[in-house]
Amino acid sequence: MTNQPPAPEPAAAAELPTDSTEITRPDAQLPGTDRPRTAKRITLRSDLRASWLDGLVALLVTAAVFVLLYIRIRNKTSSTVSVMPFMADVGGFWMYFLSQAFGWSALLWAWGTVVLGLLLSGSRPRWLRISGPRLERLHRTTSLNTIALIFAHALFFGAELFRHDTAAWNSALATAFVETFVPGGYTSGTGQIAIPIGQAALYLAIPLGLLFYVRHRFGPRTWRILHRFVIVVYVLSVWHTLLYGTNVWYDGWFRTSIWLLQLPIAALFLVRLLRPARRSEKLPLSPGAAPSRTSWSLRLAGRLAVVGVMVALVVVVVSGSDGGRTVPPDDTSSTHNHD
């Protein structure tokens, strides 16, 4: 009687093969032949080609949001006009409204990317009929489009700054670049904090999204550690929105809905921790069954922290108050000057 090798652990999202767009058995054969099935290599170019449909949907959503923002500004029903009355000139600030539209679609795509990632890295629910490889490809394409949307959001913000700068074009271009892309370059009002937070989200999203395509150079374990910081990009994006988004500047249903959308993320994250796809990440029932008490304590603390976040989110959603403004300040230009 021979000893059987241990069964391999199920692959999490971060452990899907880097050289195949489909999950196939090593001994799988092409139909009607004796030749093994040839796996297709995942490359940035192939994923960019595959992301066109998702990107088109993102652009259509951005266009719809832009029209909605434009109409609300024109009708003076948007809180943006309360924060910055001069923005009632819809023709003069259309680039800023387009920047806002890209920002909202970027946040929505980031939300979807995180949801897909959590579904991949945990035990997928039975009702989810999409196969693992297709779900993983969708996760990659939405990730690429999220980066593009965030960059477009920043680019149009900088274009708006450049357009209204009365200095020489080269000086105006340099100023707009610094204020938009250099941390600490924007020194007005709430933007001193909110814009560096948004910049951090962009500058983390780019390497975390693209390192997937070269992860064979530094190994899957390092990649798994790095990939977990994607949630930080999402948290920074939400934080930037709540701080600087004039559409959610004041308390109300729209601001509350942003918090409501975080409940599914927290719930999936908790499921991911309680039922991870990798057996080595499961929390033993007792500290003695874990490699070390410190490891067991840290894993337990992480799960309790997520539960605490969920409770806090429920409190915010039910109360409808999270620290947002209740009335416009007397002098909006001194507290939230986007110009």
Side-chain angles (χ1 to χ4, degrees):
M1 182 174 181
T2 59
N3 294 328
Q4 297 295 326
E9 294 184 2
E15 293 187 304
L16 292 172
T18 59
D19 58 348
S20 173
T21 52
E22 300 293 336
I23 304 300
T24 58
R25 301 189 313 274
D27 59 343
Q29 295 179 344
L30 292 172
T33 72
D34 295 329
R35 291 181 292 126
R37 186 186 301 271
T38 302
K40 297 180 180 179
R41 179 177 178 81
I42 292 177
T43 63
L44 178 59
R45 180 181 298 180
S46 65
D47 276 350
L48 286 173
R49 287 198 300 264
S51 66
W52 72 268
L53 180 59
D54 179 71
L56 178 60
V57 174
L59 289 177
L60 292 175
V61 170
T62 301
V65 174
F66 173 74
V67 171
L68 178 61
L69 294 176
Y70 191 93
I71 292 174
R72 286 176 57 82
I73 294 291
R74 188 185 60 187
N75 295 339
K76 298 183 179 180
T77 57
S78 172
S79 59
T80 297
V81 180
S82 300
V83 178
M84 299 174 293
F86 58 88
M87 288 254 172
D89 178 14
V90 288
F93 293 95
W94 66 270
M95 279 191 181
Y96 178 74
F97 306 140
L98 188 56
S99 172
Q100 281 190 321
F102 272 110
W104 282 112
S105 57
L107 185 63
L108 178 61
W109 254 248
W111 184 90
T113 299
V114 171
V115 167
L116 291 171
L118 290 172
L119 288 173
L120 280 164
S121 60
S123 300
R124 287 193 296 276
R126 295 181 178 179
W127 52 262
L128 190 64
R129 299 300 182 183
I130 304 177
S131 67
R134 291 185 179 181
L135 198 65
E136 197 262 346
R137 168 180 275 188
L138 183 60
H139 176 58
R140 297 197 310 270
T141 58
T142 56
S143 175
L144 292 174
N145 281 314
T146 298
I147 295 173
L149 291 168
I150 296 175
F151 183 78
H153 167 61
L155 188 64
F156 277 101
F157 180 81
E160 180 68 23
L161 295 177
F162 173 75
R163 183 166 176 251
H164 288 276
D165 197 327
T166 57
W169 73 268
N170 54 340
S171 176
L173 183 60
T175 300
F177 176 82
V178 169
E179 292 187 342
T180 304
F181 294 104
V182 178
Y186 195 92
T187 59
S188 176
T190 310
Q192 296 179 76
I193 300 175
I195 288 185
I197 291 174
Q199 291 166 340
L202 173 62
Y203 297 147
L204 277 176
I206 293 174
L208 290 177
L210 300 183
L211 282 176
F212 170 85
Y213 302 98
V214 293
R215 63 180 182 164
H216 60 279
R217 296 181 181 273
F218 47 84
R221 180 178 176 82
T222 302
W223 162 250
R224 285 197 301 270
I225 294 173
L226 291 173
H227 194 61
R228 287 168 181 170
F229 284 94
V230 169
I231 194 68
V232 176
V233 175
Y234 179 71
V235 171
L236 290 172
S237 300
V238 174
W239 191 7
H240 169 77
T241 301
L242 293 172
L243 278 178
Y244 209 55
T246 51
N247 315 100
V248 291
W249 187 252
Y250 305 114
D251 282 334
W253 70 268
F254 196 19
R255 187 178 179 92
T256 300
S257 66
I258 300 299
W259 289 102
L260 184 62
L261 284 173
Q262 310 319 311
L263 278 171
I265 297 286
L268 285 173
F269 193 42
L270 182 60
V271 172
R272 161 69 177 83
L273 293 176
L274 295 176
R275 300 176 58 191
R278 292 173 56 85
R279 286 197 296 268
S280 60
E281 295 180 358
K282 293 182 179 180
L283 180 68
L285 295 179
S286 63
S292 70
R293 289 184 176 272
T294 301
S295 174
W296 187 88
S297 299
L298 289 175
R299 293 181 185 183
L300 178 61
R303 287 151 175 78
L304 293 177
V306 176
V307 172
V309 169
M310 292 185 65
V311 172
L313 287 172
V314 171
V315 171
V316 168
V317 170
V318 172
S319 66
S321 176
D322 68 331
R325 284 84 174 164
T326 54
V327 293
D330 295 333
D331 181 11
T332 57
S333 63
S334 64
T335 58
H336 196 83
N337 184 9
H338 281 65
D339 191 11

